[in-house]
């Protein structure tokens, strides 16, 4: 098995805010991330696929194809958008945390990545700032 | 002359949008940056002061003091805020571009930096993404 | 399972030097790292916790809380200190290598991280320079 | 188990091009990477070994020794070379993709790393650009 | 005056080799950079323009427009190419060093940048590796 | 004029401490940097030379030669050393701040750089952490 990783970047706005809570409750749980008028990040997205290199091309997966899937299914739909308001596949009743976004991103690309060839989606990592990132290995966990 | 530079970071939301223009006009000039519901960035702010090292301390300026001024006058007021809506000293009738923010940031810190000792504010650089940054040397220009 | 990682940084001094060995022996094993009067690094510390996102907050663990534990239990105690001389929980008879520090850092934070909620401490990674880092998954190993 | 990682860098040229294919076929599969007159990269190579810290030295493996093995067995043989033409242990009938290079690099260093002490070669990661990297855990896979 | 900088990246091959010299002479002057079969780099290109922010848009220059000029006049013509063989505006009798490339890049974009609006081309910086870069302020020098 | 920059790295220990002051005075001025038993940094050193590219080699200065001068005159003498105790050309009565080190580094390399060819030493930049750096343009200032 080899693991190929591709990075894409995007910028988006969000806030962390439970509608049923008071401002004080939101602030005590989410701090500045609950500020009313949003804030945003330069997100870095890393998608890793696992497979054997093709004996002719030497590719586990064409990195350009992986890039295209990431762009079409994720980046083009979230870049310069507001995760709380603008993205149809981000439910309004969940918080757009790095963790929750990863699970949603996985669903966005899993099928296309896995059907693109023999490689399988292995993990997604999302960096929110230089100090915080999260990683997800799919509903079946790290293999 | 020696030049000492300090970096601070913050996250904020903004959009570029002229209220008097139609959505089409805004989109043709500002592209995705005009999207209605904001987007945001992990900003990196670099402030440079110029001066002679103090003969005893060896400091052009105490970097901790410079950091405190940057935090109190800029970062604490813009971090996790919306540049279009939340910051009293960002006029509502200007676009919060990297360039315009630099001029406003200069005004925020110039006096305190210059009064803190013998060093003088030399330049401010603001990185909006890994691909875009701007720099300002004050109203009198690069010396 | 999702994996959330938080970065903190600190600066410290150390040397690698076995007291029972001659300078020649120390130099042959540790090279410049055995130099008598210490050297130091800008360390980067990454702590990863594993868990399920909370259904309400979307957090595996509040990154601010994780940051606070890292600061209180590690960073505040080692920043601008000498690992050989100043840190009570670094035994005098072990070398403060990246590897040994990781095991000690694990002990410092394991209990507080694991008691802070449902997430569990998963790994600690310590970068000594841009060219060297080490990672530890705890006494039970990588799961 | 602790995992120690060392980084080395090198620059090399390559192209991806199946000799039996037409230029059109090559371009449709490899894109610009098939351009006739080569292109190149600043490669970053990370080698990870796994083991217990030595009770006296605190080293899983001497990072300087690991660096020397990486340089002698890989970097000195590929730096400023053409992967398609110049490197005796890169077969002429395979594509020098990041994935295939990893498998070849593994063979180059496995024996020396594993015989250097108690630590064992765990993984090799190769970054081709800031957007693409691959990782290999050896013929027996990720443990 | 404000200074806006845009980064673009590309990969290319080159070698440093004076045709009239023996291999020994080339090697003594250029070292490994003279190796016969080329090597390559992940180049990072930074272009800086100077001007006043537009009172309405807040732009010294639209960074997207600057990016397009950089791509059309430089990146699209050199990416995945060989600087010694493939680029019509790189003379065959000069060495494609970072320094010489900068002067050629300046000529490629100066007119379009300066005609795009009120901002003027101020400097170009080219990073060849993480350890080497060069900067050029045009034929009239640093202002 | 073109400006060529070379980066080298080193690790060293230091503290900021005026011997004539009490511990309280030292702490009030230098904070944690005055801690008794030293701390240290991964320093990044950037040296810039200015000149015309040689018409034959295309070099403002051979970057390998510049690297050698930096290593022989600075890095080899300070790497894994203590700036307060170990470096003969760092006076005991000055603080080894980033600013003071720059002036000393300038003296170390100016003559060799300027005698190596037609390029002249233009500036030295020293990064102490990811958040602090200083730059020096020599006793005659920025040209």
């Amino acid at each position: 098995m080899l693991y190929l990783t591709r990075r894409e970047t995007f910028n988006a706005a969000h806030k962390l805010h439970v509608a049923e809570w008071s401002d004080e409750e939101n602030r005590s749980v989410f701090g500045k991330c609950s500020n009313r008028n949003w804030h945003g990040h330069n997100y870095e997205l890393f998608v890793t696929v696992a497979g054997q290199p093709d004996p002719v091309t030497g590719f586990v997966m064409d990195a350009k194809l992986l890039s295209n899937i990431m762009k079409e299914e994720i980046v083009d739909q979230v870049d310069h958008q507001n995760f709380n308001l603008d993205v149809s596949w981000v439910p309004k009743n969940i918080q757009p945390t790095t963790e929750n976004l990863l699970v949603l991103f996985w669903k966005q690309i899993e099928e296309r990545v896995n059907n693109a060839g023999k490689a399988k989606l292995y993990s997604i990592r999302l960096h929110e700032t230089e100090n915080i990132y999260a990683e997800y290995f799919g509903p079946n966990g790290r293999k």
Side-chain angles (χ1 to χ4, degrees), chain A:
Chain A
M1 277 310 224
L2 277 120
Y3 299 80
L4 176 76
T5 301
R6 173 81 199 186
R7 182 184 82 120
E8 298 292 339
T9 62
F10 61 89
N11 310 308
H14 76 158
K15 69 174 171 185
L16 305 181
H17 188 268
V18 174
E20 294 75 22
W21 293 355
S22 70
D23 281 1
E24 289 69 26
E25 285 174 295
N26 274 294
R27 176 155 285 268
S28 82
V29 171
F30 295 121
K32 293 182 293 187
C33 297
S34 70
N35 281 357
R36 185 193 334 191
N37 290 323
W38 327 96
H39 64 280
H41 299 290
N42 303 336
Y43 288 94
E44 286 187 276
L45 174 66
F46 295 81
V47 172
T48 300
V49 297
Q52 297 290 338
D54 180 273
V56 176
T57 66
F59 285 158
V60 163
M61 181 174 178
D62 178 359
K64 184 71 186 164
L65 172 58
L66 178 54
S67 167
N68 287 344
I69 296 173
M70 293 167 69
K71 284 180 183 159
E72 292 168 20
E73 303 301 334
I74 299 174
V75 174
D76 292 350
Q77 301 186 34
V78 303
D79 188 31
H80 286 75
Q81 302 292 330
N82 184 310
F83 275 124
N84 301 70
L85 300 176
D86 294 331
V87 185
S88 63
W89 41 269
V90 176
K92 296 293 172 286
N93 62 336
I94 72 153
Q95 299 305 314
T97 58
T98 312
E99 296 95 317
N100 278 342
L101 290 174
L102 280 173
V103 177
L104 297 167
F105 288 180
W106 183 278
K107 290 177 187 158
Q108 280 297 111
I109 60 169
E110 182 182 18
E111 189 173 318
R112 270 194 71 189
V113 168
N114 288 347
N115 289 341
K118 295 181 179 163
K120 296 302 167 198
L121 182 58
Y122 179 73
S123 67
I124 307 182
R125 198 169 80 238
L126 183 64
H127 290 240
E128 192 180 84
T129 70
E130 65 187 17
N131 295 323
I132 298 177
Y133 66 84
E135 193 165 18
Y136 182 51
F137 295 82
N140 299 320
R142 189 193 277 265
K143 280 168 280 276

